[in-house]
Amino acid sequence: MGEPDDRENTAPGEQQRAPGRPRAHALPAAGLLLLERDREQALLSAVIGELGAGRPALVTVTGEPGAGQNELLRWAARHATERGIRVLTARATPAEQDLRYGVVGQLLAGHQAFTDHLPHLFLDRDRPGRFPGLTRLLGAARERPTLLVVEDVHRLDPDSLRWLEALARRLPHAPLALLTGRTCTADAGPDWWAGSPLTGSATTVELALPGLTRTGTGTAVRAVCGTVGDRSFVDAVVDATGGNPTVVGDTLRRFTRAGHTPDADHVHHVRVIAAEVTGELAASALGSLRDPVVLDVLRALAVCGDLLDFPLVVALAGSGAVPETRLRAALLDSGLVAVSDGRFRVSGPVVRDRIVEEMPAAERADLHARAAELAHRAAADDQGIGDLLLRARPVGAAWAVDTLCRAAGAALRGGDRDRAAAYLSRALDEPLPPRTRVRVQLQLAGTELVIAPVAAGRRIHGIMREPAEEYAAHRSRAADLCLLGGDTDTAWRALAECLAEDGPAGSGELPQEPGAAQEAAARHEELTALLRVAQPLRRTFAEIAVPPAPEPPRAPLTPAASGVRAWEAAARGADREEARRLARAALGPHPAGWPPLTVPRLLACRTLLLTEDLDDAETHLCALLTEAHRERRSVTVARVLALRAQLHLRQGRPDLAARDLAAADLELPPESRHPLSYPYWTALGVVTDLANGRTDRARAAAERPVPPPAEESVTGAHLLYARGLLAEADGDPHRAAALFRACGRWLLQYGCVNPALLPWRSRAAEAAHALGDAAQALKPAREELELAERWGAPGAIGAAQFSLAMMSGEDRVQRLRSAVEHLGRAPDRAAYTRAVVALASAGNAAQPERVTALAPPAYGTAGTGVPSAGHHAVVALHSPVPAPAPAPVRPGPLPPVWPSLSPGERAAAVLAARGLANREIAAALSVTTRTVELRLSSVYRKLRIRGRDELRALAQGTEDD
């Protein structure tokens, strides 16, 4: 891959300059190879000057292929000729490496005085000590200083090499200089001045040519393109070409002829062109290789040179009979290999790809397979072996599958899902037993859910439809994975087909042992439970002749069935204790020791959210998250984080919810989610943004179009609810009421009655009340209270009572007292605080026992009444949108001092009067402790009191007025 032998002085880009483009600077093509060579030119000029004064010299110029060594030697030859020095030139070529004295013949033919020695060059081959023309050359040099210029000395034929070595030893006896060029590779080229102390009296110099710097590359861009290149463009040229002058010049000339401009918009174009130029130079150098042994070693080095040491590469190529030193020299001579950190490596990925692509497909696949096996025996890196296996034929060995699976795990740990999927896909090309194949297929499907969810759905469907017995035990896991990815359509279709073919409680007509029958029944129950999860998420069923999923048994055999039954009971709002019992059973271990399914466990945790057992739910979610991280299941991690974000919203911690959603986006990017799961993620993001005060961001997300099939799912109701909250925050009660009612219609269609899931009735009632329709407002609010009391969760009852209190008349205070009582036993401290403030603002003077009613009870596990010290987290209502402080209700005039407080000061004063510490008030109001201190100080100043004792007395007096 050397530099071109182009000695014309045509300005680059001049012949095909694009119309309207500025004319390039008059820099010759050869001038690009001499950019940033001022130091080297000055040194060569000094050597030539000393040669004219009679001092001999020995100069070697080295550089990477294309660095401009030969062009610098030609410049020195022209410079010496201009100063009256005799110049003899030659160039070693691969074609003359077997020709005796090929380079010497070129040198002597350069002057008439030496031509009579040419016939003797090919005679007397076996006579030692004879160097034709050498004596005559030394004599002529004493008469006139002579410069010998030899290009590419690493390709010298053996006789010419010995001749030049003899000349080097005789340099001190004549005003003669030897200037040579070669590639800058270790072990390449002769050590000219070794072997004779006499060469110490001659000037000896070795010049190493570096690549172009960024400044030099910018100069080349300006010269060839006719304008200054953008910084990003110049950086791209440096990165794509490595600063190699030949590659830089060819790339820029092609770039200019294509009519492009050197700006940031054309960075990709210049990278593509640079790759083409590098590949063509590599192909040219590859075509010049004539030794098949060297070619085999070069191919083996391109395949696994970064993974195996050079002796193993030679063994892979089957070239053990050839001396290693000869192979090293031949590889370095090709210009396609460089030495880095003491290792032989192919010069860049483009060159490596070109070498491999030149091989026939069958040989290439076989070489990769043999390289992978050798790397396996050498205990190389799993991902390195996996990369070899990706391009290899099937090896038919168990180690290959194990290595590919380990490589996939390493890639997942590094966040490279595409690479992991490639490893697993390649593992499926090997001959595998059914149990191993289904395991790899499931692992691949889990990876593809992130990068190609639709393809993952097709793969999962194929797993579930596979008739082999070994697949039967994995069908429920496949369906579980499909539901996690959000492809409920594929999951429902595959489950319905499986159950339709299997029949009730097992498949097959052969008699089964009791243990086998019980296992078959358990598998059937799991599939049925998952079908019940998928079926409600569709409005129109697929055209499959199968009845709806049957009711699960009252005594489930599997935790999966318990989890589904728990969620169905919670959605119906029928039996809170039974739902809690089933949810906890679903989160326990499987009786048969089977791996637990994820979707039923998530449903169990969602059930615990509705039963207000938030501590239990958070504990199990953290365990699920740890398990998913350990197994590198990104979709599961994202789903668990999303559910934990819902838990944080119910606890009034929207900042933590936003953090979990951001982490979920990293695990499962929005563009990688299945279209059917769009409403779920959008609704959760909108509600979280509203809770954090990011209304504009929530509005932008809510306005994005939803795929039509996703609108007809139960999660579409969640999105309608979120949009209703947004309309409520925007002060649009008409739109809010319509959205909340639409949400309710969808939920009722899917059998979701429990107001603890989404309190759409109270929200619709509040919107109707804001529009002045009292009758339309009270009906859904009373219905929600009735359903909440049937469910029995204190938080749901308290929220319903609070909503009714804001719209009722005579029984307002009684309902507020009931709301305070129920919310005090719920995990929703923020809702409790709002109820307390509202009750204090109502100013009921006839109930002195109200002070006792307002005292906050100790809070522990939701619904149990077990105290838990320090648990004072603020918990939002079922909608985490902060409700505005209710307008003061004035059944009678308030004391003149109380209305002088701001809403924030009034809330802090009420809670302080009820005995809460500053830290508890801060948690209840979602502010800092310092803010509470400042508000109370302002309260004391405005009310002209000295502390909490007087504040409690004043509050008591207000209640008793």
Side-chain angles (χ1 to χ4, degrees):
M1 196 170 64
E3 61 195 74
D5 189 11
D6 184 6
R7 306 190 186 197
E8 297 181 2
N9 291 331
T10 304
E14 183 176 353
Q15 295 180 354
Q16 300 185 27
R17 185 161 48 93
R21 295 283 307 282
R23 183 182 180 88
H25 293 283
L27 182 65
L32 285 176
L33 299 176
L34 295 178
L35 277 177
E36 299 186 317
R37 301 291 184 248
D38 297 338
R39 183 183 67 87
E40 291 81 4
Q41 287 175 317
L43 193 147
L44 291 176
S45 180
V47 168
I48 292 171
E50 291 182 355
L51 177 62
R55 182 173 176 81
L58 181 61
V59 181
T60 302
V61 180
T62 64
E64 293 183 354
Q69 307 92 305
N70 293 343
E71 190 57 42
L72 188 60
L73 265 59
R74 294 163 195 166
W75 175 88
R78 293 193 298 271
H79 185 67
T81 301
E82 293 171 358
R83 301 187 66 167
I85 295 175
R86 179 190 292 120
V87 178
L88 304 178
T89 61
R91 183 177 186 180
T93 61
E96 296 183 352
Q97 280 186 299
D98 296 330
L99 179 62
R100 190 183 188 201
Y101 292 116
V103 168
V104 176
Q106 293 182 49
L107 289 172
L108 298 183
H111 197 276
Q112 187 176 2
F114 310 122
T115 54
D116 56 340
H117 291 275
L118 293 179
H120 301 288
L121 292 177
F122 303 99
L123 302 176
D124 304 327
R125 179 183 296 271
D126 299 326
R127 294 181 58 184
R130 297 296 301 273
F131 299 104
L134 181 57
T135 303
R136 182 67 179 272
L137 175 63
L138 293 172
R142 295 186 184 95
E143 299 172 0
R144 181 183 176 186
T146 303
L147 174 66
L148 274 65
V149 179
V150 183
E151 301 177 10
D152 299 333
V153 294
H154 53 284
R155 293 173 175 167
L156 283 172
D157 62 271
D159 293 297
S160 295
L161 175 60
R162 287 193 295 270
W163 194 92
L164 289 175
E165 288 175 343
L167 173 65
R169 290 194 295 270
R170 291 165 174 76
L171 279 180
H173 302 291
L176 189 145
L178 177 59
L179 176 58
T180 62
R182 63 179 174 86
T183 57
C184 64
T185 50
D187 304 332
D191 192 355
W192 296 114
W193 47 89
S196 174
L198 296 178
T199 56
S201 60
T203 301
T204 57
V205 178
E206 182 171 6
L207 296 176
L209 301 182
L212 293 179
T213 63
R214 188 188 180 282
T215 301
T217 304
T219 302
V221 171
R222 185 172 64 252
V224 177
C225 300
T227 183
V228 177
D230 288 354
R231 178 182 294 273
S232 60
F233 180 84
V234 175
D235 290 339
V237 174
V238 173
D239 180 63
T241 63
N244 187 289
T246 298
V247 181
V248 169
D250 288 352
T251 299
L252 293 177
R253 280 189 283 272
R254 295 189 188 187
F255 180 83
T256 303
R257 285 195 294 268
H260 301 313
T261 54
D263 51 33
D265 294 335
H266 292 89
V267 166
H268 174 71
H269 297 84
V270 79
R271 289 185 183 276
V272 172
I273 294 174
E276 292 176 355
V277 171
T278 304
E280 291 175 5
L281 293 175
S284 176
L286 192 61
S288 66
L289 286 177
R290 296 176 300 164
D291 190 341
V293 174
V294 176
L295 182 60
D296 289 342
V297 175
L298 181 62
R299 288 172 172 174
L301 191 65
V303 168
C304 59
D306 293 336
L307 198 62
L308 300 178
D309 294 333
F310 190 74
L312 291 178
V313 172
V314 174
L316 175 64
S319 306
V322 181
E324 191 173 309
T325 54
R326 175 190 164 189
L327 292 174
R328 289 176 181 268
L331 290 172
L332 295 171
D333 176 40
S334 69
L336 299 170
V337 175
V339 178
S340 175
D341 299 329
R343 293 178 65 94
F344 273 62
R345 289 185 173 89
V346 174
S347 303
V350 175
V351 177
R352 181 185 301 110
D353 292 342
R354 182 57 64 96
I355 293 172
V356 175
E357 289 168 2
E358 292 290 331
M359 300 176 62
E363 294 182 17
R364 181 169 60 243
D366 181 70
L367 178 59
H368 279 85
R370 291 188 290 109
E373 184 174 2
L374 184 59
H376 169 67
R377 293 178 180 177
D381 175 67
D382 286 333
Q383 287 187 269
I385 302 174
D387 292 338
L388 293 175
L389 289 170
L390 288 177
R391 307 181 71 174
R393 57 168 171 76
V395 298
W399 65 262
V401 178
D402 294 339
T403 301
L404 286 166
C405 291
R406 289 196 303 269
L412 287 175
R413 287 191 294 274
D416 194 344
R417 300 184 181 92
D418 291 315
R419 193 176 181 186
Y423 290 143
L424 295 171
S425 297
R426 172 60 183 84
L428 293 175
D429 293 337
E430 296 288 330
L432 301 175
R435 292 185 184 276
T436 305
R437 180 170 294 277
V438 67
R439 176 176 59 83
V440 176
Q441 285 178 323
L442 283 171
Q443 189 176 356
L444 175 58
T447 305
E448 286 178 333
L449 281 174
V450 182
I451 58 178
V454 177
R458 289 195 295 266
R459 187 178 300 280
I460 292 172
H461 189 270
I463 295 172
M464 298 181 65
R465 299 294 297 121
E466 177 62 43
E469 181 181 353
E470 291 80 4
Y471 281 70
H474 297 278
R475 287 173 183 161
S476 57
R477 288 187 58 200
D480 183 65
L481 194 60
C482 197
L483 289 171
L484 276 175
D487 190 359
T488 55
D489 193 359
T490 298
W492 187 89
R493 186 183 300 272
L495 285 165
E497 292 174 356
C498 288
L499 290 172
E501 292 180 3
D502 289 350
S507 60
E509 300 179 358
L510 296 177
Q512 297 175 329
E513 296 295 330
Q518 187 176 7
E519 179 178 345
R523 298 289 185 195
H524 188 273
E525 183 181 272
E526 284 187 342
L527 294 176
T528 303
L530 293 177
L531 179 60
R532 294 188 64 83
V533 175
Q535 183 172 283
L537 301 182
R538 292 180 48 85
R539 183 183 181 187
T540 57
F541 302 130
E543 296 180 359
I544 302 176
V546 61
E551 287 286 341
R554 294 193 59 83
L557 299 174
T558 61
S562 297
V564 174
R565 279 201 61 206
W567 174 247
E568 290 178 345
R572 291 193 303 266
D575 191 336
R576 178 167 165 246
E577 291 301 323
E578 177 69 6
R580 176 186 288 133
R581 182 189 66 79
L582 289 170
R584 289 172 174 167
L587 294 168
H590 196 287
W594 297 349
L597 301 180
T598 303
V599 169
R601 287 187 288 171
L602 289 177
L603 291 176
C605 289
R606 289 185 67 185
T607 301
L608 293 178
L609 293 187
L610 300 189
T611 61
E612 299 181 5
D613 297 293
L614 300 190
D615 287 348
D616 286 351
E618 187 167 14
T619 299
H620 289 292
L621 285 175
C622 291
L624 273 171
L625 189 62
T626 301
E627 174 188 310
H629 274 302
R630 183 176 62 250
E631 298 179 1
R632 297 305 307 166
R633 292 183 291 163
S634 297
V635 175
T636 304
V637 171
R639 286 289 188 172
V640 174
L641 287 171
L643 185 53
R644 198 171 69 174
Q646 292 180 255
L647 182 143
H648 290 323
L649 289 174
R650 287 177 177 270
Q651 291 176 328
R653 296 185 286 183
D655 54 333
L656 297 183
R659 185 192 65 183
D660 277 352
L661 283 184
D665 287 343
L666 294 177
E667 293 288 340
L668 185 64
E671 63 275 8
S672 299
R673 294 166 184 163
H674 196 279
L676 291 176
S677 67
Y678 180 90
Y680 172 79
W681 292 101
T682 304
L684 188 54
V686 169
V687 173
T688 303
D689 287 336
L690 284 174
N692 283 286
R694 300 174 181 174
T695 308
D696 293 339
R697 178 173 168 176
R699 187 178 298 108
E703 291 174 354
R704 297 191 189 104
V706 180
E711 291 181 339
E712 300 181 356
S713 67
V714 71
T715 57
H718 289 258
L719 183 55
L720 289 172
Y721 183 82
R723 288 172 173 171
L725 295 179
L726 182 62
E728 188 179 78
D730 290 339
D732 188 351
H734 285 283
R735 186 165 185 268
L739 288 169
F740 288 133
R741 286 195 295 267
C743 165
R745 286 193 294 271
W746 278 108
L747 289 176
L748 293 176
Q749 179 176 343
Y750 289 115
C752 299
V753 181
N754 194 343
L757 177 62
L758 289 178
W760 61 271
R761 297 175 182 82
S762 60
R763 289 290 182 178
E766 291 171 9
H769 183 71
L771 293 172
D773 190 348
Q776 186 67 26
L778 290 176
K779 181 180 178 180
R782 287 168 179 164
E783 182 182 355
E784 179 166 309
L785 176 59
E786 180 182 349
L787 293 171
E789 289 175 342
R790 187 182 74 170
W791 176 239
I797 297 173
Q801 289 281 21
F802 183 82
S803 178
L804 263 176
M806 294 298 99
M807 293 175 285
S808 61
E810 297 179 355
D811 57 350
R812 179 190 309 273
V813 175
Q814 289 78 8
R815 293 195 180 279
L816 284 175
R817 285 203 200 96
S818 176
V820 169
E821 178 186 357
H822 285 91
L823 292 174
R825 293 185 287 111
D828 194 336
R829 299 284 293 186
Y832 170 76
T833 301
R834 285 193 292 272
V836 167
V837 172
L839 183 57
S841 299
N844 190 335
Q847 300 292 338
E849 68 275 9
R850 183 172 171 228
V851 175
T852 305
L854 294 179
Y859 168 67
T861 303
T864 63
V866 180
S868 176
H871 190 116
H872 298 289
V874 180
V875 193
L877 282 169
H878 303 299
S879 160
V881 180
V889 180
R890 301 178 182 272
L894 288 173
V897 292
W898 196 257
S900 65
L901 304 179
S902 68
E905 293 169 346
R906 190 179 308 163
V910 169
L911 296 178
R914 302 304 179 252
L916 272 69
N918 286 355
R919 179 174 56 83
E920 297 172 332
I921 298 173
L925 299 180
S926 298
V927 296
T928 65
T929 305
R930 179 58 178 164
T931 300
V932 174
E933 293 172 354
L934 293 175
R935 289 181 181 179
L936 290 179
S937 298
S938 178
V939 167
Y940 300 155
R941 184 176 63 256
K942 289 180 179 180
L943 300 183
R944 297 182 180 181
I945 58 178
R946 289 176 292 182
R948 288 179 179 251
D949 292 340
E950 295 184 19
L951 179 62
R952 279 193 291 271
L954 181 61
Q956 179 67 37
T958 300
E959 295 164 358
D960 294 339
D961 281 343

